[in-house]
Amino acid sequence: MNEFQQQILQKIEQIALKLENYKSNNEQLTKYKEELEAKVEYLEKREQELKSELENQKLELLEKTELIDKATNKIEDLLGSIDING
C-alpha cells in the first residue's frame, strides 16, 4: 500500500471516529432530553396538584372565616343586649 492510500485510510478512520463520537453524543443528548421531558411532565402534574390543594385550602379558610364572622356577630349581639339590659 502506498503512502497516499495510507493517508486516505487514516482520514477514513478519523471520520469514522468522529461519527462514532457524534452518535454517542447524540444518544446522550437524546437520553438527557427524555429525562428533562419526564421531569417537566412531573413538575407540571405536581403544579396542578398544588394548585388544587391551594384552592381547597382557600375554600376551607373562607368557610372558617365565615364561621368566625358569624360567631363574632353573635357575641357582639349578646354583648349589646347585656349592655342594654344591664
Side-chain angles (χ1 to χ4, degrees):
M1 188 176 333
N2 66 32
E3 188 177 329
F4 180 71
Q5 289 173 327
Q6 188 76 23
Q7 289 175 350
I8 290 175
L9 284 176
Q10 287 175 348
K11 290 290 181 186
I12 290 172
E13 289 174 0
Q14 289 173 355
I15 291 170
L17 284 174
K18 283 184 181 181
L19 288 173
E20 276 298 316
N21 285 337
Y22 289 145
K23 180 182 176 186
S24 175
N25 288 341
N26 185 47
E27 289 171 353
Q28 290 175 348
L29 288 173
T30 299
K31 182 180 176 185
Y32 183 63
K33 178 185 172 220
E34 289 169 356
E35 290 171 357
L36 288 176
E37 287 172 343
K39 287 178 183 179
V40 166
E41 185 178 323
Y42 167 79
L43 290 173
E44 287 173 343
K45 180 180 176 185
R46 186 67 181 130
E47 178 186 27
Q48 288 303 317
E49 290 171 354
L50 290 172
K51 282 182 178 179
S52 176
E53 187 178 323
L54 180 61
E55 192 59 36
N56 289 339
Q57 288 178 353
K58 282 181 181 179
L59 291 174
E60 186 178 322
L61 183 59
L62 181 62
E63 290 172 0
K64 288 178 180 180
T65 301
E66 288 174 356
L67 287 174
I68 290 170
D69 287 345
K70 286 180 183 178
T72 302
N73 289 339
K74 285 184 180 182
I75 291 170
E76 287 174 351
D77 289 344
L78 287 173
L79 291 175
S81 67
I82 291 173
D83 287 341
I84 293 172
N85 296 330

